[in-house]
């Protein structure tokens, strides 16, 4: 593991911040006393219920409208996706309760560096289908979008980062991956969730058994420590020391366990502002470029930018228009 530090402007324990209404806690408490099995079933379903946020407006809506929209089938759902630029595809994956547009700060930098940036809404999130989902299903969705676009790299936030690591351990082949503010321990996530709901030990244990049957995997198998050795992909782990939702220690653990892990610690960015920090964006693109060759212009060998065609950058297109008039009027 290598560690570096990136300065930044100054943003539980587990990417599932829960502040349940008192009425919900009260109802589960009553149900726990009268029917523990029903309480366990209700809690297991709540855990998989994805929060729906309002559809994007303003800058986020304009950003999505500027991309090429398409759909992918993955994670058992129809996934809404958008792309920009040309060259090797890089998939951008959001976290629990988020949406693809949250990672829009990475798109201009990736496109300008000669990559195709692909954003999508995860299962049961944003414009994608479904009402409930899980970490493994999120990983399946990331793998499906990567497969549909031929992606060579993934940049993923929070639970999207944990899901990317699970997908890599299950055979997703990437040249590079970047995870930002990702949790390292699924069991810790469950414990935080059950405490927030005020579940007693018996009900929490029953809910966990139901969840594991429904998802098809034991929570322990989703801890990074259980599968990290199976991931050969170089992974950049970026985590902020002031992250109040997923502790910095999670990122440090991921980087320490991964054979190709590299840790970069930031300060003052927290859990979400890290997605908009220029230094983090630049670091991410440079790391990807170390292992993924961008598409180059056939005229000048510069990386294709947003003004480029599939073969020429914007400057070369303009040059041909201005100085190769026979090409303009050949037809």
């Amino acid at each position: 593991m290598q560690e570096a530090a990136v300065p930044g402007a100054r943003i539980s324990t587990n990417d599932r911040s829960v502040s349940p209404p008192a009425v919900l806690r009260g109802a589960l408490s009553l149900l726990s006393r009268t029917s523990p099995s029903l309480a366990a079933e209700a809690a297991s379903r709540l855990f998989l219920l994805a929060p729906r946020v309002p559809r994007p407006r303003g800058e986020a809506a304009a950003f999505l409208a500027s991309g090429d929209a398409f759909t992918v089938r993955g994670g058992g759902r129809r996934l809404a996706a958008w792309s920009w630029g040309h060259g090797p595809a890089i998939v951008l994956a959001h976290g629990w309760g988020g949406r693809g547009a949250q990672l829009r700060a990475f798109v201009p930098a990736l496109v300008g560096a000669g990559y195709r940036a692909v954003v999508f809404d995860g299962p049961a999130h944003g414009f994608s289908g479904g009402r409930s989902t899980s970490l493994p299903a999120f990983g399946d969705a990331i793998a499906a979008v990567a497969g549909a676009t031929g992606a060579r790299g993934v940049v993923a936030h929070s639970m999207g980062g944990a899901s990317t690591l699970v997908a890599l351990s299950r055979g997703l082949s990437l040249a590079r991956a970047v995870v930002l503010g990702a949790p390292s321990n699924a069991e810790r996530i469950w414990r935080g969730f059950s405490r927030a709901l005020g579940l007693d030990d018996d009900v929490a244990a029953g809910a966990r058994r139901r969840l594991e049957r429904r998802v098809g995997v034991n929570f322990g198998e989703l801890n990074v420590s259980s599968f990290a050795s199976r991931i050969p992909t170089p992974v950049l782990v970026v985590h902020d020391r002031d992250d109040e939702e997923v502790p910095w220690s999670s990122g440090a653990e991921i980087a320490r366990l991964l054979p190709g892990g590299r840790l970069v610690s930031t300060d003052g960015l927290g859990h979400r502002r890290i997605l908009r920090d220029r230094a983090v964006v630049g670091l991410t693109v440079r790391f990807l470029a170390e292992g993924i060759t961008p598409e180059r212009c056939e005229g000048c060998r510069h990386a294709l930018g947003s003004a480029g065609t599939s073969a020429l950058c914007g400057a070369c297109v303009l040059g041909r228009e201005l100085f190769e008039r026979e090409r303009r009027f050949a037809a």
Side-chain angles (χ1 to χ4, degrees):
M1 177 190 77
Q2 298 176 332
E3 180 175 359
V6 172
R10 289 222 185 249
I11 186 188
S12 202
T13 57
N14 45 44
D15 187 37
R16 294 295 296 270
S17 299
V18 178
S19 299
V23 65
L24 178 58
R25 284 177 57 96
L28 279 172
S29 176
L30 176 62
L31 197 57
S32 296
R33 294 193 298 272
T34 58
S35 179
S37 62
L38 283 178
E41 179 64 19
S44 68
R45 290 181 180 274
L46 279 172
F47 187 75
L48 300 176
L49 192 64
R52 284 287 185 178
V53 297
R55 290 193 171 190
R57 294 180 297 178
E59 180 184 346
F63 162 73
L64 293 179
S66 71
D68 295 323
F70 64 102
T71 60
V72 175
R73 189 76 184 175
R77 299 287 185 268
R78 178 197 60 79
L79 306 172
W82 302 261
S83 74
W84 294 258
H86 307 279
I90 306 296
V91 173
L92 303 170
H94 64 81
W96 184 261
R99 55 169 66 248
Q102 286 179 308
L103 287 94
R104 59 185 178 275
F106 291 88
V107 171
L110 287 170
V111 171
Y115 299 105
R116 177 190 179 195
V118 178
V119 162
F120 78 102
D121 287 342
H125 285 71
F127 290 99
S128 293
R131 191 69 185 92
S132 61
T133 189
S134 66
L135 193 154
F138 231 85
D140 291 344
I142 291 169
V145 175
T149 58
R152 302 289 314 287
V154 168
V155 178
H157 179 234
S158 204
M159 192 189 79
S163 299
T164 297
L165 297 177
V166 168
L168 285 168
S169 75
R170 294 180 169 185
L172 173 62
S173 179
L174 297 173
R176 295 267 157 156
V178 180
V179 298
L180 307 113
S184 62
N185 189 297
E187 292 177 301
R188 191 181 302 136
I189 294 174
W190 169 249
R191 288 195 297 270
F193 180 85
S194 59
R195 281 197 303 269
L197 288 179
L199 304 180
D200 64 39
D201 291 345
D202 289 340
V203 171
R208 174 172 170 167
R209 287 193 296 271
R210 284 169 167 79
L211 270 170
E212 291 176 338
R213 285 197 299 269
R214 187 169 285 127
V215 174
V217 62
N218 183 288
F219 275 12
E221 298 173 36
L222 298 177
N223 297 337
V224 175
S225 59
S226 71
F227 59 73
S229 62
R230 302 199 301 269
I231 300 178
T233 307
V235 178
L236 176 65
V237 181
V238 185
H239 216 112
D240 195 78
R241 295 183 186 276
D242 299 320
D243 193 324
E244 296 181 352
E245 294 189 30
V246 182
W248 174 87
S249 57
S250 289
E253 181 182 22
I254 292 171
R256 174 176 57 81
L257 292 170
L258 291 173
R262 183 190 304 180
L263 176 65
V264 170
S265 300
T266 63
D267 294 291
L269 297 175
H271 192 61
R272 292 182 177 80
R273 285 173 55 200
I274 199 169
L275 298 178
R276 304 189 297 274
D277 185 74
R278 288 186 178 182
V280 171
V281 171
L283 177 72
T284 295
V285 174
R286 290 193 297 274
F287 175 78
L288 293 170
E290 290 176 12
I292 306 171
T293 303
E295 185 169 308
R296 301 289 177 175
C297 171
E298 68 179 14
C300 65
R301 310 309 298 168
H302 290 164
L304 288 173
S306 58
T309 67
S310 60
L312 295 174
C313 70
C316 286
V317 170
L318 179 60
R320 287 195 173 185
E321 283 291 299
L322 292 175
F323 303 113
E324 298 183 31
R325 297 179 59 84
E326 67 277 10
R327 288 181 180 267
R328 292 180 62 187
F329 303 111

